[in-house]
Amino acid sequence: MQKISEVMTRDVMTISPQETLERAAQMMDELNVGSLPVWDGTKLVGMITDRDITVRSTAAGQAPGDAFVRDVMSDQVRSCFDDQTVDEVLQQMSDVQIRRIPVLDRNTQNLVGIVALGDLAEDDAGDVQGTLRDISTPAQPDRPQLNS
């Protein structure tokens, strides 16, 4: 069985929850990524995506230089361990409908990488097609819809 450590991206850049959204967007642009793990110096506390910045922050009327990562990040972050199998991680991604997942060292709990669905597709690892189908199933809105 192939381990997630064999396909993950290493040397992942993180951002602090105290950084501004402007800095998060700049880092994403520089790194050509759509998400950053949020690390408080001792542990993984969340993930911030370009969508969080665009939708959550803009919808709240926040200025990117005045709002902070902690204000819009997803703090219910899912992670996996570097010694898990690709199939286990694909199932986890499928279960919670996520396309990328931070990878932690099981012993130290330090961030050692990140795996995106695209990484797994490139390596032809596991049931990527089934996972993509499950991830792409429309989700219910997380708030009530406004009546027109």
Side-chain angles (χ1 to χ4, degrees):
M1 286 259 137
Q2 191 172 26
K3 299 289 184 191
I4 210 67
S5 60
E6 298 172 47
V7 296
M8 71 183 187
T9 299
R10 298 178 185 276
D11 301 322
V12 177
M13 297 297 296
T14 63
I15 192 161
S16 163
Q18 289 80 28
E19 285 286 354
T20 64
L21 296 181
E22 181 176 35
R23 180 64 190 132
Q26 289 168 345
M27 285 180 68
M28 288 180 197
D29 184 40
E30 291 165 6
L31 299 168
N32 195 28
V33 297
S35 68
L36 292 168
V38 182
W39 187 262
D40 75 356
T42 61
K43 66 181 185 230
L44 183 67
V45 295
M47 288 286 286
I48 187 163
T49 66
D50 48 7
R51 187 177 190 282
D52 292 331
I53 295 169
T54 302
V55 176
R56 289 183 182 175
S57 179
T58 301
Q62 298 173 330
D66 298 329
F68 299 94
V69 168
R70 68 176 173 264
D71 298 331
V72 298
M73 70 181 196
S74 297
D75 59 2
Q76 299 298 316
V77 65
R78 300 293 181 125
S79 61
C80 67
F81 295 110
D82 59 346
D83 62 355
Q84 285 184 267
T85 67
V86 167
D87 289 339
E88 289 173 324
V89 175
L90 279 171
Q91 184 61 54
Q92 189 175 347
M93 292 169 79
S94 178
D95 289 347
V96 292
Q97 293 187 304
I98 55 175
R99 295 177 185 269
R100 60 187 71 82
I101 189 167
V103 182
L104 303 176
D105 177 282
R106 188 177 298 276
N107 297 319
T108 65
Q109 301 295 305
N110 286 332
L111 183 71
V112 293
I114 194 164
V115 170
L117 196 56
D119 296 328
L120 299 170
E122 284 181 9
D123 280 357
D124 197 27
D127 182 18
V128 175
Q129 184 176 0
T131 302
L132 179 59
R133 182 180 51 252
D134 292 342
I135 290 171
S136 299
T137 300
Q140 296 298 316
D142 62 358
R143 61 178 181 236
Q145 295 295 308
L146 300 174
N147 293 330
S148 323

